[in-house]
Amino acid sequence: MSEGKSKDVILETDADAIRLAKTLLRAARFGALATIDPDDGAPFATRVATATDLDGAPLILVSGLSAHTRGLEADPRCSLLIGEPGKGDPLAHPRLSIKTSASRVERESKAHEHVRRRYLSRHPKAKLYVDFPDFSIYRLEPQQALLNGGFARAYRLFRSELLTNSAALDSLAGSEAGAIAHMNKDHADALENYARHFARAPSGKWQLTGIDPDGIDLALGDETCRIFFKSPLSDASQIRPTLVAMAKEARMGIAS
């Protein structure tokens, strides 16, 4: 390396990096949101609870009285940091910093019903205030992101690598709620097996909180896990056979 030339610490983005970034996005329950303070133009960071839209874009529910909502209304540019630190050195755990542009999902819009439902699936206690007049759901549109997978594992990702562009999105928007309700009511054993086999998670009454073209999201209290399908869905009609095949694989894997 020639003198004065800095070493590029950003690694080439590969499939594993994209999978890790999407896992962090889908599994996150909260994050640090940085907005621009309209009073002085300085960055201002707060903690927010997060969920994801069907394509993976982060969703937040915020009060109109909060400082960060004022910031978003004045300037939609913001960034979101997600990734739980876990045990030991917090800098050794993966995290994702995303540059985004926030847009409020209007209550009268076609999208509001399904983003409200997806947010409440991840944060059921928010049902107490989600419909208050001064609360709004914002969709954070990713522009680019920096993934830190641990020491010396940094990657730059772009919108097309973070979000899912699938023909199944429209059909899933109409089918997801019914499939989730059915699985949670009648197939609790299969959900537990999914968590144990595919995510190596502990036993428990896991609940299905989301189905998207790439996979499913499960929750057990404050714990979450993300499970990717072997092949992405191209239509909502593939939900049932895919989950049935996964249930069989998980059952056999646990029994062996």
Side-chain angles (χ1 to χ4, degrees):
M1 184 173 64
S2 60
E3 185 178 353
K5 185 177 180 180
S6 61
K7 180 181 179 180
D8 187 1
V9 298
I10 305 298
L11 301 177
E12 182 177 353
T13 301
D14 55 18
D16 288 340
I18 294 172
R19 174 65 64 93
L20 177 57
K22 287 187 172 184
T23 299
L24 291 170
L25 261 177
R26 295 291 189 180
R29 296 181 59 250
F30 62 89
L33 179 73
T35 57
I36 300 172
D37 190 323
D39 293 332
D40 58 12
F44 184 78
T46 54
R47 177 175 290 179
V48 291
T50 63
T52 57
D53 206 345
L54 279 168
D55 63 354
L59 301 171
I60 59 173
L61 174 66
V62 294
S63 167
L65 301 176
S66 65
H68 49 256
T69 302
R70 288 181 56 243
L72 295 177
E73 288 299 307
D75 189 331
R77 292 177 300 167
C78 57
S79 63
L80 182 70
L81 169 64
I82 55 176
E84 298 190 34
K87 297 180 180 179
D89 187 345
L91 299 182
H93 295 270
R95 62 267 191 197
L96 183 69
S97 299
I98 318 165
K99 292 181 179 179
T100 79
S101 178
S103 59
R104 179 163 52 185
V105 183
E106 301 297 339
R107 292 180 187 271
E108 301 78 15
S109 68
K110 183 179 179 181
H112 188 268
E113 180 180 353
H114 89 257
V115 296
R116 177 185 182 277
R117 174 181 50 77
R118 285 187 64 85
Y119 188 89
L120 290 178
S121 290
R122 178 54 60 88
H123 302 284
K125 292 181 180 179
K127 190 174 183 179
L128 295 172
Y129 50 85
V130 66
D131 295 323
F132 285 3
D134 62 320
F135 274 79
S136 299
I137 296 175
Y138 281 77
R139 177 182 155 102
L140 306 183
E141 301 288 352
Q143 306 303 321
Q144 60 176 286
L146 184 66
L147 170 67
N148 192 317
F151 291 118
R153 292 180 58 205
Y155 306 87
R156 197 174 305 282
L157 295 95
F158 296 92
R159 178 182 175 86
S160 60
E161 296 166 321
L162 295 168
L163 299 187
T164 298
N165 183 14
S166 169
L169 289 172
D170 288 341
S171 59
L172 275 172
S175 304
E176 183 194 20
I180 288 175
H182 170 67
M183 291 298 295
N184 286 333
K185 179 182 178 182
D186 299 330
H187 298 288
D189 55 341
L191 297 178
E192 181 178 3
N193 288 345
Y194 293 160
R196 292 178 60 195
H197 177 70
F198 294 108
R200 298 295 186 263
S203 298
K205 294 182 179 180
W206 288 88
Q207 292 280 296
L208 182 61
T209 61
I211 306 172
D212 59 78
D214 290 335
I216 60 174
D217 297 306
L218 301 173
L220 177 64
D222 292 337
E223 298 296 320
T224 64
C225 68
R226 172 67 176 179
I227 299 171
F228 286 90
F229 298 136
K230 287 185 175 179
S231 298
L233 304 180
S234 58
D235 186 79
S237 63
Q238 297 175 333
I239 293 175
R240 185 179 184 279
T242 298
L243 293 180
V244 168
M246 288 174 61
K248 181 179 180 181
E249 179 181 343
R251 187 170 58 248
M252 293 177 64
I254 292 172
S256 62

